[in-house]
């Protein structure tokens, strides 16, 4: 969904449903419209989970996704192996192994969402 107006219409309609929530996965559209998505989720009081920390830092409720810094470190070892002569085709594909959970308690309070203490304790980062 590339059009902001269409995004607003879809989220407005979605928010009218009972017990609605939003899951935002990684896409160019999500990155391009990050601030609009966060604003609309707040405006329509939709609890939302995002795939990446920056959404929570910008005011989103919660994110759970790969630790990109860890992935960059691991990619550096692949670059090193290629520079030392290994063939890229011979290197195994790697999936993320480290994930991070980030919570924004200010947003939770504004949405009226009670975050359990256990979830707060498990979070890698809590934004107040």
């Amino acid at each position: 969904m590339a059009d902001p107006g269409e995004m607003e219409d879809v989220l407005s309609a979605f928010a009218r449903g009972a017990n609605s929530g939003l899951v935002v996965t990684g896409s160019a559209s999500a990155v391009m419209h990050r601030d609009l998505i966060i604003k609309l989720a707040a405006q329509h009081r939709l609890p939302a989970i995002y795939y990446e920390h920056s959404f929570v830092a910008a005011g989103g409720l919660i994110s759970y996704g790969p630790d990109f810094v860890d992935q960059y470190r691991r990619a550096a070892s692949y670059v090193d192996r290629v520079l030392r002569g290994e063939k890229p085709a011979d290197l195994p594909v790697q999936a993320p192994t480290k994930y991070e959970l980030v919570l924004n308690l200010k947003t939770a309070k504004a949405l009226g969402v009670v975050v359990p203490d256990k979830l707060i304790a498990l979070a890698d980062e809590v934004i107040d």
Side-chain angles (χ1 to χ4, degrees):
M1 187 176 341
D3 178 64
E6 180 185 3
M7 188 173 296
E8 192 161 352
D9 293 343
V10 168
L11 282 176
S12 294
F14 185 68
R16 287 191 289 274
N19 300 319
S20 295
L22 188 61
V23 176
V24 179
T25 59
S27 70
S29 183
V31 171
M32 186 168 57
H33 298 296
R34 181 191 75 181
D35 294 335
L36 176 61
I37 294 168
I38 293 167
K39 179 184 128 201
L40 291 172
Q43 179 182 325
H44 294 292
R45 302 186 53 77
L46 282 171
I49 184 166
Y50 304 92
Y51 71 96
E52 207 263 324
H53 174 278
S54 70
F55 285 80
V56 180
L61 176 60
I62 186 171
S63 70
Y64 185 73
D67 180 337
F68 290 113
V69 172
D70 181 61
Q71 286 187 287
Y72 299 147
R73 282 189 197 111
R74 292 174 58 209
S77 72
Y78 266 43
V79 171
D80 180 60
R81 290 170 68 179
V82 170
L83 292 175
R84 293 177 188 270
E86 287 189 55
K87 294 180 182 177
D90 293 340
L91 297 174
V93 173
Q94 291 189 3
T97 57
K98 186 176 177 190
Y99 292 82
E100 66 177 356
L101 173 66
V102 182
L103 302 169
N104 188 321
L105 296 182
K106 180 179 177 184
T107 301
K109 184 177 181 181
L111 293 173
V113 173
V114 176
V115 180
D117 290 338
K118 183 166 181 143
L119 189 60
I120 294 170
L122 290 171
D124 296 292
E125 183 178 346
V126 177
I127 299 170
D128 287 320

